[in-house]
């Protein structure tokens, strides 16, 4: 006899202030390297090239994004997820939200529900509200909402179960927001490490992204040595992604679990290292869409992973 689990009712604050929030049963994940079953993507229908970061400003000056090519590249990204059997959920596009394709930033999925971030740039703040509406439509409760300063999802990096690396560059994620989020997860019993990065690098997932259990891709040229030592002390093997590749979003990939990865085709050093270890890698050309300021990891919010 199959016992059906009743979906949990939608709520706007599921977090227990003192910790001890129960994990969800139908959504969420324990780490970023288990098998991905459901992912939240944006739709680039209204994508515009805006001055969101040093990288996007450079391309805006020298060689602006061809939006039609960028949209075609995003279709290839969607196809890569579908090829691996991942169910793609898409936030409905809104003409006012030019950067909505970057679903990593406006919210963060956790074992306890999604938390809503506080976007730094005024033209992206509407993405937070769109995220709330979409989580309600999926029946995914909200864990909490950032209220102390700005915080963006690219700075929440689950290194392994019960351990998170939180980036803080000051411009996109302020220390006040980072410490508020850190406090939530410390109360849940997690180990939390803050990484103070230069705002030039935007988010921590530009330079540090988990690949598989105890295997992490890191740009050693721009990651604080203390963070690298911390990872190694946990038994993590490091794949070094060259600085030039990292600045082209080459360390910004998506682990699907089960030794499968979606990576930008330009990141050949990383891809070679992964294939040498037996990984199946879907190489996707992100050269045009990434001019707008983000990569594959920035464009995805994992909704559910299973061991």
């Amino acid at each position: 006899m199959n016992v059906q689990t009743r979906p949990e009712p939608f709520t706007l604050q599921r977090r227990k202030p003192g910790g001890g929030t129960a994990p969800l049963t139908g959504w969420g994940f324990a780490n970023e390297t288990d098998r991905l079953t459901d992912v939240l993507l944006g739709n680039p229908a209204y994508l515009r090239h805006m001055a969101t970061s040093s990288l996007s400003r450079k391309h805006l000056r020298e060689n602006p994004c061809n939006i039609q090519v960028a949209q075609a590249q995003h279709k290839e990204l969607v196809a890569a997820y579908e090829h691996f059997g991942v169910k793609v959920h898409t936030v409905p596009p809104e003409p006012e939200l030019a950067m909505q394709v970057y679903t990593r930033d406006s919210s963060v999925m956790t074992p306890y529900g999604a938390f809503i971030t506080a976007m730094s740039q005024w033209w992206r703040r509407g993405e937070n509200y769109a995220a709330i509406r979409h989580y309600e439509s999926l029946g995914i409760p909200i864990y909490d909402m950032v209220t102390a300063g700005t915080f963006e999802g690219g700075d929440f990096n689950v290194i392994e179960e019960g351990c998170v690396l939180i980036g803080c560059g000051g411009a996109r994620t302020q220390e006040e927001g980072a410490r508020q989020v850190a406090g939530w997860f410390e109360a849940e019993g997690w180990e939390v490490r803050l990484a103070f990065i230069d705002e030039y690098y935007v988010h921590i997932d530009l330079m540090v992204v988990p690949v598989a259990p105890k295997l992490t891709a890191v740009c050693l040229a721009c990651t604080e040595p203390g963070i690298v030592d911390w990872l190694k002390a946990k038994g993590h093997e490091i794949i070094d992604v060259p600085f030039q590749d990292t600045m082209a979003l080459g360390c910004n990939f998506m682990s699907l679990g089960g030794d499968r990865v979606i990576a930008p085709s330009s990141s050949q050093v990383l891809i070679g290292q992964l294939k040498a270890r037996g990984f199946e890698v879907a190489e996707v050309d992100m050269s045009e869409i990434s001019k707008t300021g983000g990569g594959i990891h920035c464009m995805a919010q994992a909704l559910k992973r299973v061991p």
Side-chain angles (χ1 to χ4, degrees):
M1 178 180 178
N2 292 326
V3 178
Q4 297 293 325
T5 302
R6 297 182 62 184
E8 187 167 327
F10 179 78
T11 177
L12 288 173
Q13 188 177 22
R14 188 174 184 272
R15 181 178 69 87
K16 293 186 176 181
T21 309
L24 295 177
T25 55
W27 299 96
F29 52 87
N31 58 62
E32 288 273 12
T33 57
D34 277 343
R35 185 174 292 268
L36 182 68
T37 65
D38 293 73
V39 69
L40 181 63
L41 302 183
N43 184 319
Y46 301 110
L47 179 69
R48 297 198 305 275
H49 191 165
M50 303 179 73
T52 57
S53 66
S54 55
L55 176 67
S56 63
R57 286 193 294 271
K58 178 179 184 294
H59 287 300
L60 201 55
R61 289 193 306 269
E62 299 174 0
N63 187 19
C65 174
N66 181 315
I67 298 298
Q68 288 184 323
V69 173
Q71 290 167 335
Q73 289 178 347
H74 192 267
K75 286 183 180 179
E76 292 299 315
L77 178 62
V78 173
Y81 282 106
E82 293 174 340
H83 166 75
F84 285 118
V86 178
K87 183 174 182 180
V88 174
H89 304 262
T90 304
V91 181
E94 299 183 33
E96 298 83 5
L97 302 179
M99 296 283 102
Q100 198 173 11
V101 71
Y102 295 113
T103 54
R104 175 71 52 170
D105 291 336
S106 56
S107 66
V108 175
M109 192 63 184
T110 79
Y112 319 108
F115 74 79
I116 303 302
T117 65
M119 304 290 278
S120 163
Q121 295 157 333
W122 66 263
W123 60 85
R124 297 198 64 188
R125 290 173 190 157
E127 295 174 41
N128 292 133
Y129 309 120
I132 295 170
R133 288 195 296 267
H134 197 64
Y135 283 121
E136 183 176 17
S137 75
L138 292 173
I140 298 176
I142 303 302
Y143 175 66
D144 210 332
M145 304 183 193
V146 176
T147 55
T150 62
F151 187 94
E152 298 187 351
D155 279 317
F156 190 89
N157 206 334
V158 179
I159 298 301
E160 56 190 42
E161 185 171 355
C163 177
V164 63
L165 178 65
I166 293 179
C168 179
R172 301 284 284 274
T173 291
Q174 296 172 322
E175 183 174 350
E176 293 83 355
R179 292 198 181 279
Q180 181 181 32
V181 172
W184 295 344
F185 287 88
E186 286 169 343
E188 302 290 1
W190 288 42
E191 177 185 355
V192 179
R193 171 99 185 208
L194 292 185
F196 292 91
I197 62 175
D198 191 284
E199 66 180 65
Y200 175 78
Y201 300 117
V202 188
H203 296 134
I204 192 65
D205 71 346
L206 177 96
M207 62 187 78
V208 179
V209 175
V211 181
K214 302 298 183 182
L215 180 65
T216 302
V218 179
C219 177
L220 295 178
C222 62
T223 302
E224 178 191 338
I227 299 297
V228 179
D229 292 342
W230 176 71
L231 289 168
K232 288 180 177 178
K234 291 183 171 299
H236 285 243
E237 180 186 357
I238 304 298
I239 297 178
D240 183 19
V241 180
F243 181 79
Q244 186 173 356
D245 290 357
T246 298
M247 292 301 99
L249 287 309
C251 194
N252 195 268
F253 59 89
M254 193 71 170
S255 170
L256 307 184
D259 293 342
R260 302 165 306 152
V261 169
I262 301 176
S265 57
S266 61
S267 192
Q268 285 300 306
V269 173
L270 171 66
I271 290 168
Q273 289 281 338
L274 293 174
K275 288 183 175 179
R277 289 168 168 80
F279 282 79
E280 183 180 358
V281 183
E283 302 179 38
V284 183
D285 183 4
M286 293 277 99
S287 57
E288 203 64 31
I289 194 168
S290 286
K291 289 179 181 178
T292 62
I296 290 171
H297 196 260
C298 300
M299 296 179 201
Q301 185 65 243
L303 294 179
K304 183 179 179 181
R305 291 180 183 268
V306 296

